[in-house]
Amino acid sequence: MKLQVGVIGATGYTGYELVKLLHRHPQTEIVWATSESSAGKRLSELYPTPDDTPLIKQADAPLAQADVVFLCLPHVASMEAVAQVRAAGARAIDLSADYRLPDPVVYERWYEHPHTQTVLLGEAVYGLCEINRRQIAGAELVANPGCYPTTVNLGLWPLARAGALGPRIIVDAKSGVSGAGRKLRLGSHFVEANENLSPYSIGYAHRHIAEMEMILGPHVQGEIEIAFSPHLIPVNRGILSTIYIEVDPALSEREVRGIYAQAYADEPFIHLLPPGQLATLGHTVHSNRCAIALTPLPRPGQWIVTASEDNLLKGASGQALQNMNIMFGLKETTGLL
Amino acid sequence: MKLQVGVIGATGYTGYELVKLLHRHPQTEIVWATSESSAGKRLSELYPTPDDTPLIKQADAPLAQADVVFLCLPHVASMEAVAQVRAAGARAIDLSADYRLPDPVVYERWYEHPHTQTVLLGEAVYGLCEINRRQIAGAELVANPGCYPTTVNLGLWPLARAGALGPRIIVDAKSGVSGAGRKLRLGSHFVEANENLSPYSIGYAHRHIAEMEMILGPHVQGEIEIAFSPHLIPVNRGILSTIYIEVDPALSEREVRGIYAQAYADEPFIHLLPPGQLATLGHTVHSNRCAIALTPLPRPGQWIVTASEDNLLKGASGQALQNMNIMFGLKETTGLL
Amino acid sequence: MKLQVGVIGATGYTGYELVKLLHRHPQTEIVWATSESSAGKRLSELYPTPDDTPLIKQADAPLAQADVVFLCLPHVASMEAVAQVRAAGARAIDLSADYRLPDPVVYERWYEHPHTQTVLLGEAVYGLCEINRRQIAGAELVANPGCYPTTVNLGLWPLARAGALGPRIIVDAKSGVSGAGRKLRLGSHFVEANENLSPYSIGYAHRHIAEMEMILGPHVQGEIEIAFSPHLIPVNRGILSTIYIEVDPALSEREVRGIYAQAYADEPFIHLLPPGQLATLGHTVHSNRCAIALTPLPRPGQWIVTASEDNLLKGASGQALQNMNIMFGLKETTGLL
Amino acid sequence: MKLQVGVIGATGYTGYELVKLLHRHPQTEIVWATSESSAGKRLSELYPTPDDTPLIKQADAPLAQADVVFLCLPHVASMEAVAQVRAAGARAIDLSADYRLPDPVVYERWYEHPHTQTVLLGEAVYGLCEINRRQIAGAELVANPGCYPTTVNLGLWPLARAGALGPRIIVDAKSGVSGAGRKLRLGSHFVEANENLSPYSIGYAHRHIAEMEMILGPHVQGEIEIAFSPHLIPVNRGILSTIYIEVDPALSEREVRGIYAQAYADEPFIHLLPPGQLATLGHTVHSNRCAIALTPLPRPGQWIVTASEDNLLKGASGQALQNMNIMFGLKETTGLL
């Protein structure tokens, strides 16, 4: 029998992408989908699709009918909704930021809202599949990672785990416009974004820094110092992070490459590029992969890592489905190739 | 002394384009500029420009200080405003649709609003420069043409005037997104418009048909039958109209081409393309030109006209400035090359 | 056991798209893939993909190992290659134009090259799945339709079959740049195509007219008169055809819509849009669907049909795979949802 | 009398942009224009323009008729051509890299070709207008700066001159596709560049590093260490450089901002943005401006500078014309506003 799946918040870009993935997944069935703003309509009235999935209010969703519920809500809005899903006995995969940061103090500092579900927060597993696979397998609640941190954490994890990553990290990241959501904003207006390139919230201002510090911080020598500069680029989908790092200068180029090759040897969704190649959006858009390339600078111990993903797939709904596959013991790549 | 110019509605795409043109024009000076939504701010707070032009409420604009006032307002909103400008003694160039159609009944049918300024409507000159140049020169009130009709009317005028144009006209038009304005709408969201192409209001539904019927209707044999299909394309600026027409089959290809060559021989802003070439957006964007190409079909009397323009220049603010040059006896190309 | 598949010409856009589809298809296995220009390399050296499929010369391809061979070659080049594939005993799906037109005289007129395989030409089935499904099922050689004609023929077929389509047809078509292939040409240079829109070969000049005449011609009253105007638009993928037709004026709007609804009731890849909606690229890109919408004009018997598809999927490789599914008795949607 | 201007290499993107600027400049007249590949044609055969400027071979150009010659040639090719222009008595503005680096050893290291005109090289003035204005005024030969270095050098010059800039500089730069020229290359193919983002030659590999080291190197403490990562973005024009620097930590934020405000107080083409704003492409495309914004990081002495320009204007032909204005004592902004 197929997994019975509920989707809360099905009409934003991540929700709609997830619905498309679930339809293609051979072992899932959508039992209900919600939208507060469009309840009573069908998905085909909101997107150019023949998909006639009806949309209901979250309050009307029969939570207990679902084996697993995906929540595609804004942060804060998801906090309570996850609790209801768990209370109804369904496993939860939350695409918001609400359960990503285990320390409620850190959460509140970045998201400017107290965390009201601290017990549940303690149970949540951070769903970065390649790093936390074992914990995800047994989890009842998975917090799906942010789009930018997925490129940075996957791009640096092998070095961090090996104790070879220096604390000063500069991330110059570029994201397609779907990352800003479907909400109407001047910055997402075609004429404003097209033929343009706009940095925003650069330096030490963007909330996604918290997830980078959480994953990498414990492994670097001394205090981690991240500068993070996101840019909006005129494409629909995709993130490229160009990451400037310091690596233990005792390691040869070959050793650095070996650390990555070993860490990601069996990973179906990591595309480690050969020397001389660089990650581009083209390597990953419309796939669930993360592409990673390593470029040494002339001065010993200085490297540039380029890492790309599709922000709606490996950066959101694709990784959420990968988490579901892991949680329910399915082949991890099912519905994702 | 420079012409003293007022701009009503300076912060939409046509208003902002006009302000940029006026700054480059050697014989004009902006004495005031209005914006209802952004009064109190400066232009540099709304657009990425060093231009610090202050914005005031329309009600606070010293109308009488201006020799000429450009109105870049939505239709209906412009109706009354033009009357105030004229009452204050300034000449007016209205970029809205309110004074384009001399018959108030026709206006009301298309714009679903009664015309409250019928006397003034009687004075207005339709500012299609290449066709009405003489009347424009003496006008106190010029109604600047719509973007789509400018390509169609300029593209067909020589044949119409020669009495050689058949009544059945199919216009398949494509416009950049700036044509839909700066207002936030889902159809203008980058992710929705990019990598997409959307027809809208096709057939006999778009208001701009009225201007085509007004200019061409009196010259065709029998009753004019226009089918007009606009499409939104993922570019910032530019309109291309592909126009399917019937031409008096007694005319040879050479004669048809001759009619155009003669009609537009001295026109600085008409770029008549040689046989074998077709008009593209590239011919006209960022210029005040209209490019026109003629392609015969194998069957006698059937032709395709391709005509392009920059919708913000020849299709709006550029032509408005051209009208100003004509009205005030300046060299017609001043500030427009 | 999986179908053993060979691909000739795997490195153009249609070949590469096909390889991606074949990898996702659960019942196929690529046994070899050829590229004249890149033999000796792997696919991952030509595209940003982890796919390491090795490329061999066509002359080195073990044709007989394949149950079915897809040919993604330019026209003329495919003519002989298909013969070799058939001689080796494999079934063939040809994506070129070489076997689409059963009359070698018509072929030579449009493609300016004599047809050297007229016997084989007699066996070929035109692979427009929704129309020729039964013949495709038994075919040894399927000629996959052209991209533009697929939108036009699917968009008009129900009316044509019902004897209700008039002979005068105007097709204003718009295609993404992948339709022009991966070959380097100035028109496909980013700076030339971006922020531009270019008609080309308009009127009665484009070779794809032959496929429209072939399918629709026998069904209209009198001699068919097609005007066909393709335009290059700045998107990667997708075709939208805006089609101006005359329909038997005795038919009510309801009857016209009923003819389409009945014709396509059970078609998994036809998305018939409800009244008031129009086909856009967004309806079909990255899917194997064709979206069709019907818009009546005020004058009886005049309609506009909008029809869209992804030129690389339903317009090429997707339909080729759909043909394979039909030929081998697989579920028609396998690998295509 | 107007300045008599010759253009060598008028048909690449910078050459064509220059021709357009010269036509709009009220005090210049193009006396001849060359193109090796298109001699005998007119400009209107190569670009969608009514400009009928005839193109001749460089060898046929009457060099001595020109007061000033612009050279828009690839590096190495320009070396000899400049010498011929100077020998004929015309002043020269060279847009290639051949005369930018005064030390022939440095030139050869980066451009892998010996410099054959070392005497002339000694005379050349580096035409970064805001920095070398006085030397440019008297120069017979001006080497127009590279596109990327212009953003970096203008973005950091005030701090460098003040002795407050640290030696470690990371430049993450993004450029539109026109920067790669009109030559056909797979990376400039629409389908490859659109919806993509590609880093290239990152780290310490791109030749433009030499111009940054030349301008900034003498002013930093210790040895300058530049990491420079260019990226190709899917826009036609524009460069944005996001620059990570170390500044003397003794300086307050206010002092740093004051240094820039003072340095650029009277510069018509520098748009210094207020605190809280960031430079975007929108600030500068289709203008000759460079926009600069300063963002402090939390840790003292760490700043991010964002700097943008239009690569074809301030990054090439616009600055070349600005240099001409300075060289001939014209108002510096003539033809550039």
Side-chain angles (χ1 to χ4, degrees):
Chain A
M1 194 188 133
K2 292 186 173 185
L3 273 182
Q4 304 293 296
V5 180
V7 179
I8 293 179
T11 60
Y13 287 134
T14 56
Y16 178 52
E17 191 75 17
L18 186 66
V19 166
K20 287 192 287 185
L21 289 172
L22 288 167
H23 282 310
R24 269 177 44 191
H25 193 291
Q27 291 159 276
T28 61
E29 185 178 343
I30 298 176
V31 286
W32 46 261
T34 82
S35 166
E36 295 313 288
S37 56
S38 300
K41 294 187 176 170
R42 292 171 177 277
L43 205 47
S44 55
E45 296 176 69
L46 304 173
Y47 283 94
T49 172
D51 181 353
D52 272 336
T53 302
L55 300 164
I56 59 175
K57 289 263 180 201
Q58 193 176 318
D60 298 333
L63 301 179
Q65 285 182 11
D67 299 311
V68 59
V69 172
F70 292 89
L71 297 102
C72 305
L73 296 175
H75 60 86
V76 179
S78 207
M79 207 180 282
E80 187 74 20
V82 164
Q84 291 165 5
V85 167
R86 292 295 301 122
R91 294 166 93 171
I93 300 174
D94 182 26
L95 283 81
S96 88
D98 285 347
Y99 291 88
R100 293 177 191 156
L101 305 172
D103 183 341
V105 175
V106 175
Y107 178 85
E108 186 167 351
R109 192 192 315 138
W110 285 101
Y111 289 92
E112 296 166 331
H113 191 282
H115 207 295
T116 59
Q117 305 288 337
T118 48
V119 176
L120 216 44
L121 186 59
E123 287 176 23
V125 171
Y126 187 70
L128 189 52
C129 306
E130 286 73 14
I131 295 180
N132 287 340
R133 189 172 281 125
R134 220 175 22 180
Q135 297 93 306
I136 293 164
E140 300 295 317
L141 165 54
V142 166
N144 207 57
C147 53
Y148 285 120
T150 294
T151 59
V152 177
N153 288 332
L154 290 176
L156 303 184
W157 175 246
L159 285 174
R161 191 180 59 174
L165 182 67
R168 299 187 61 177
I169 299 168
I170 290 175
V171 179
D172 195 280
K174 300 91 178 168
S175 171
V177 184
S178 63
R182 208 186 196 197
K183 210 181 132 204
L184 301 181
R185 321 160 50 227
L186 189 58
S188 299
H189 189 295
F190 183 86
V191 181
E192 308 291 317
N194 183 45
E195 293 296 289
N196 200 354
L197 171 71
S198 305
Y200 67 97
S201 304
I202 69 174
Y204 194 77
H206 195 287
R207 286 158 168 165
H208 280 179
I209 292 171
E211 293 172 59
M212 306 174 200
E213 292 179 339
M214 173 178 74
I215 295 294
L216 303 173
H219 299 277
V220 301
Q221 314 286 348
E223 203 189 348
I224 193 164
E225 289 187 23
I226 293 179
F228 173 55
S229 299
H231 298 71
L232 198 68
I233 56 170
V235 303
N236 281 356
R237 325 163 57 115
I239 285 178
L240 180 83
S241 292
T242 310
I243 314 172
Y244 302 85
I245 55 169
E246 294 164 337
V247 179
D248 179 351
L251 293 173
S252 69
E253 176 173 342
R254 188 184 167 141
E255 286 169 320
V256 169
R257 294 191 185 280
I259 286 170
Y260 277 81
Q262 194 178 2
Y264 291 141
D266 300 319
E267 289 297 344
F269 294 119
I270 304 290
H271 184 190
L272 197 58
L273 296 170
Q277 291 191 18
L278 300 170
T280 70
L281 292 192
H283 282 91
T284 53
V285 282
H286 294 290
S287 88
N288 192 50
R289 290 190 299 271
C290 178
I292 299 172
L294 310 170
T295 306
L297 280 158
R299 281 168 284 281
Q302 298 192 3
W303 287 75
I304 303 174
V305 177
T306 48
S308 83
E309 68 175 16
D310 185 317
N311 59 303
L312 294 180
L313 290 170
K314 186 61 178 170
S317 307
Q319 181 149 256
L321 200 72
Q322 190 182 352
N323 274 310
M324 184 201 76
N325 285 342
I326 297 173
M327 289 164 79
F328 288 88
L330 308 179
K331 190 167 186 321
E332 192 167 327
T333 55
T334 310
L336 289 169
L337 293 181
Chain B
M1 194 189 131
K2 292 186 173 184
L3 273 182
Q4 305 293 295
V5 180
V7 179
I8 293 180
T11 60
Y13 287 133
T14 56
Y16 177 53
E17 192 74 17
L18 185 65
V19 167
K20 287 192 288 186
L21 289 171
L22 288 167
H23 283 308
R24 272 177 42 192
H25 193 290
Q27 290 159 277
T28 61
E29 185 179 345
I30 298 175
V31 286
W32 47 260
T34 82
S35 166
E36 296 313 289
S37 56
S38 301
K41 295 187 176 171
R42 292 172 176 277
L43 205 48
S44 56
E45 296 176 69
L46 303 173
Y47 282 95
T49 172
D51 180 352
D52 272 336
T53 303
L55 301 163
I56 60 174
K57 289 261 179 204
Q58 192 177 315
D60 298 333
L63 301 178
Q65 285 183 13
D67 299 310
V68 59
V69 173
F70 292 89
L71 298 102
C72 304
L73 295 175
H75 60 84
V76 179
S78 206
M79 208 180 282
E80 186 73 21
V82 164
Q84 292 166 6
V85 167
R86 290 295 302 122
R91 292 166 92 172
I93 300 174
D94 182 26
L95 282 82
S96 88
D98 285 347
Y99 291 88
R100 293 177 192 157
L101 305 173
D103 183 339
V105 175
V106 174
Y107 177 84
E108 185 167 350
R109 192 192 316 139
W110 285 101
Y111 290 92
E112 297 167 328
H113 192 281
H115 206 296
T116 60
Q117 304 288 337
T118 49
V119 175
L120 214 45
L121 186 59
E123 289 178 22
V125 171
Y126 187 69
L128 189 52
C129 307
E130 286 73 14
I131 295 179
N132 287 340
R133 188 173 279 124
R134 216 172 26 177
Q135 298 93 305
I136 294 163
E140 300 294 318
L141 165 55
V142 167
N144 208 59
C147 52
Y148 285 120
T150 294
T151 59
V152 176
N153 288 332
L154 290 176
L156 303 185
W157 176 246
L159 285 175
R161 192 181 58 175
L165 181 66
R168 298 187 62 177
I169 299 168
I170 290 174
V171 180
D172 194 281
K174 300 91 178 168
S175 171
V177 185
S178 64
R182 209 187 196 198
K183 208 180 133 205
L184 300 181
R185 323 161 49 227
L186 189 58
S188 298
H189 188 296
F190 183 87
V191 180
E192 309 291 318
N194 183 45
E195 293 296 288
N196 201 354
L197 171 71
S198 304
Y200 67 96
S201 303
I202 68 174
Y204 194 77
H206 195 287
R207 286 157 169 166
H208 281 179
I209 291 171
E211 292 172 60
M212 306 174 200
E213 292 180 338
M214 173 179 74
I215 295 295
L216 304 173
H219 298 277
V220 300
Q221 313 286 350
E223 200 189 350
I224 193 164
E225 289 187 25
I226 293 179
F228 173 54
S229 300
H231 299 70
L232 197 69
I233 57 170
V235 304
N236 280 356
R237 324 160 61 112
I239 285 179
L240 180 84
S241 292
T242 310
I243 314 172
Y244 302 85
I245 55 169
E246 293 164 338
V247 180
D248 179 351
L251 293 173
S252 69
E253 176 173 343
R254 190 186 165 137
E255 286 168 320
V256 169
R257 294 191 185 282
I259 286 170
Y260 276 81
Q262 193 176 2
Y264 291 142
D266 300 319
E267 290 298 344
F269 295 119
I270 303 290
H271 183 191
L272 198 57
L273 296 171
Q277 290 191 18
L278 300 169
T280 70
L281 293 192
H283 282 92
T284 53
V285 281
H286 295 288
S287 90
N288 192 50
R289 291 191 299 271
C290 178
I292 299 171
L294 310 170
T295 306
L297 279 158
R299 279 168 285 280
Q302 299 192 3
W303 286 75
I304 303 174
V305 177
T306 49
S308 83
E309 67 175 15
D310 186 317
N311 59 303
L312 294 180
L313 290 169
K314 185 61 177 169
S317 308
Q319 181 150 257
L321 200 72
Q322 189 181 352
N323 275 311
M324 184 201 77
N325 286 342
I326 297 172
M327 289 164 80
F328 288 87
L330 308 180
K331 189 167 185 327
E332 192 168 327
T333 55
T334 310
L336 288 169
L337 292 180
Chain C
M1 195 186 132
K2 292 186 173 185
L3 273 182
Q4 305 293 296
V5 180
V7 179
I8 294 179
T11 61
Y13 286 135
T14 56
Y16 178 52
E17 192 74 17
L18 185 65
V19 167
K20 287 193 288 185
L21 289 172
L22 288 167
H23 282 309
R24 270 178 43 191
H25 193 290
Q27 290 159 278
T28 61
E29 185 178 344
I30 299 175
V31 287
W32 46 260
T34 82
S35 166
E36 295 313 288
S37 56
S38 301
K41 294 188 178 170
R42 291 172 177 276
L43 204 48
S44 55
E45 296 176 69
L46 304 172
Y47 282 94
T49 171
D51 181 353
D52 272 336
T53 302
L55 300 163
I56 60 174
K57 287 263 181 204
Q58 192 176 317
D60 298 333
L63 301 179
Q65 283 182 13
D67 299 309
V68 59
V69 173
F70 292 89
L71 298 102
C72 304
L73 296 175
H75 60 84
V76 179
S78 207
M79 208 180 283
E80 186 74 20
V82 164
Q84 291 165 5
V85 167
R86 291 295 303 124
R91 293 166 93 172
I93 300 173
D94 181 26
L95 282 82
S96 88
D98 285 347
Y99 290 88
R100 293 179 192 155
L101 304 172
D103 183 342
V105 175
V106 175
Y107 178 85
E108 186 166 352
R109 192 192 317 138
W110 285 102
Y111 290 92
E112 296 166 329
H113 191 282
H115 207 296
T116 60
Q117 304 288 337
T118 49
V119 176
L120 216 43
L121 186 59
E123 287 176 23
V125 171
Y126 187 69
L128 188 52
C129 305
E130 286 73 14
I131 295 180
N132 287 341
R133 188 172 280 125
R134 216 172 28 179
Q135 298 92 308
I136 294 164
E140 300 295 317
L141 165 54
V142 166
N144 208 57
C147 53
Y148 286 121
T150 294
T151 59
V152 176
N153 288 333
L154 290 177
L156 302 185
W157 176 246
L159 285 174
R161 191 182 57 175
L165 181 67
R168 299 187 61 176
I169 299 168
I170 290 175
V171 180
D172 194 280
K174 301 91 179 169
S175 171
V177 184
S178 64
R182 208 185 195 198
K183 209 181 135 203
L184 299 181
R185 323 162 49 228
L186 189 58
S188 299
H189 189 295
F190 183 86
V191 180
E192 308 291 318
N194 184 44
E195 294 296 290
N196 201 354
L197 172 71
S198 305
Y200 67 97
S201 303
I202 69 173
Y204 194 77
H206 194 286
R207 287 157 168 165
H208 280 180
I209 291 171
E211 292 172 59
M212 305 174 202
E213 293 179 338
M214 172 178 74
I215 295 295
L216 303 172
H219 298 278
V220 300
Q221 314 285 351
E223 202 188 349
I224 193 164
E225 289 187 24
I226 293 178
F228 173 54
S229 299
H231 298 72
L232 198 69
I233 55 170
V235 303
N236 281 356
R237 328 163 56 114
I239 284 178
L240 180 83
S241 292
T242 310
I243 314 172
Y244 303 84
I245 55 170
E246 293 163 337
V247 179
D248 179 350
L251 292 173
S252 68
E253 176 174 341
R254 188 183 166 141
E255 285 169 320
V256 169
R257 294 192 186 281
I259 286 170
Y260 278 81
Q262 193 177 2
Y264 291 142
D266 300 320
E267 290 296 345
F269 295 119
I270 303 290
H271 184 190
L272 196 58
L273 294 171
Q277 290 191 19
L278 301 169
T280 70
L281 293 192
H283 282 92
T284 53
V285 282
H286 295 289
S287 90
N288 192 51
R289 288 191 299 272
C290 178
I292 299 171
L294 310 170
T295 305
L297 279 159
R299 280 168 286 280
Q302 298 193 4
W303 288 74
I304 304 174
V305 177
T306 48
S308 83
E309 68 175 16
D310 185 317
N311 60 304
L312 294 180
L313 290 170
K314 186 61 180 170
S317 307
Q319 182 151 254
L321 200 71
Q322 189 182 352
N323 274 310
M324 183 200 77
N325 286 340
I326 297 173
M327 290 164 80
F328 287 88
L330 308 179
K331 190 166 184 326
E332 192 167 327
T333 55
T334 310
L336 289 169
L337 293 182
Chain D
M1 193 189 133
K2 292 187 173 185
L3 274 182
Q4 305 293 294
V5 180
V7 179
I8 294 180
T11 60
Y13 286 133
T14 56
Y16 177 53
E17 192 74 18
L18 186 65
V19 167
K20 287 192 289 185
L21 289 172
L22 289 166
H23 282 308
R24 271 178 41 191
H25 192 290
Q27 291 159 278
T28 62
E29 186 178 344
I30 299 175
V31 287
W32 47 259
T34 82
S35 166
E36 295 314 287
S37 56
S38 302
K41 294 188 176 170
R42 293 171 176 275
L43 205 48
S44 56
E45 296 176 69
L46 304 173
Y47 282 94
T49 172
D51 181 353
D52 272 337
T53 303
L55 300 164
I56 59 175
K57 288 263 181 204
Q58 193 177 315
D60 297 333
L63 300 179
Q65 284 181 12
D67 300 309
V68 59
V69 173
F70 292 88
L71 298 102
C72 305
L73 296 175
H75 60 85
V76 179
S78 206
M79 209 180 281
E80 187 72 21
V82 164
Q84 293 166 4
V85 167
R86 291 295 303 122
R91 293 166 92 172
I93 300 174
D94 182 26
L95 282 82
S96 88
D98 285 347
Y99 291 87
R100 294 178 192 158
L101 305 173
D103 182 341
V105 175
V106 174
Y107 177 85
E108 186 167 352
R109 192 193 316 139
W110 284 101
Y111 290 92
E112 297 167 327
H113 191 281
H115 207 295
T116 60
Q117 304 288 338
T118 49
V119 176
L120 214 46
L121 186 59
E123 288 178 22
V125 171
Y126 187 71
L128 188 52
C129 307
E130 287 73 14
I131 295 179
N132 287 341
R133 187 172 280 125
R134 216 170 28 176
Q135 299 92 306
I136 293 164
E140 300 294 319
L141 165 55
V142 166
N144 207 58
C147 53
Y148 286 120
T150 294
T151 59
V152 176
N153 288 333
L154 289 176
L156 303 184
W157 175 246
L159 285 174
R161 191 181 58 175
L165 181 67
R168 299 187 60 176
I169 298 168
I170 290 174
V171 180
D172 194 280
K174 299 90 180 170
S175 171
V177 184
S178 64
R182 209 186 196 199
K183 208 180 134 206
L184 300 182
R185 324 161 49 229
L186 188 58
S188 298
H189 189 293
F190 183 87
V191 180
E192 309 290 318
N194 182 45
E195 294 296 289
N196 201 354
L197 171 71
S198 304
Y200 67 97
S201 303
I202 69 173
Y204 193 77
H206 195 286
R207 285 156 169 165
H208 281 179
I209 291 170
E211 291 173 60
M212 306 174 201
E213 291 179 340
M214 173 178 75
I215 294 295
L216 303 173
H219 298 277
V220 300
Q221 314 286 348
E223 201 188 350
I224 193 165
E225 288 187 25
I226 293 179
F228 173 55
S229 299
H231 299 71
L232 198 70
I233 56 170
V235 304
N236 279 357
R237 327 163 58 115
I239 285 179
L240 180 83
S241 292
T242 310
I243 315 173
Y244 302 85
I245 55 170
E246 293 163 338
V247 179
D248 179 349
L251 292 173
S252 69
E253 176 174 341
R254 190 185 165 137
E255 286 169 320
V256 169
R257 294 191 185 281
I259 287 170
Y260 278 81
Q262 195 177 359
Y264 290 142
D266 299 319
E267 290 297 344
F269 294 119
I270 303 290
H271 183 191
L272 197 57
L273 296 171
Q277 291 190 18
L278 300 169
T280 70
L281 293 192
H283 281 92
T284 53
V285 282
H286 295 288
S287 91
N288 193 49
R289 291 191 298 272
C290 178
I292 299 171
L294 310 170
T295 306
L297 279 159
R299 279 168 285 280
Q302 299 192 4
W303 287 74
I304 303 174
V305 177
T306 48
S308 83
E309 68 176 16
D310 185 318
N311 60 302
L312 294 179
L313 290 168
K314 186 61 179 169
S317 308
Q319 182 151 256
L321 200 71
Q322 190 182 351
N323 275 310
M324 183 200 78
N325 286 341
I326 297 172
M327 289 164 79
F328 287 88
L330 308 179
K331 189 167 184 328
E332 191 168 327
T333 56
T334 310
L336 289 169
L337 292 181

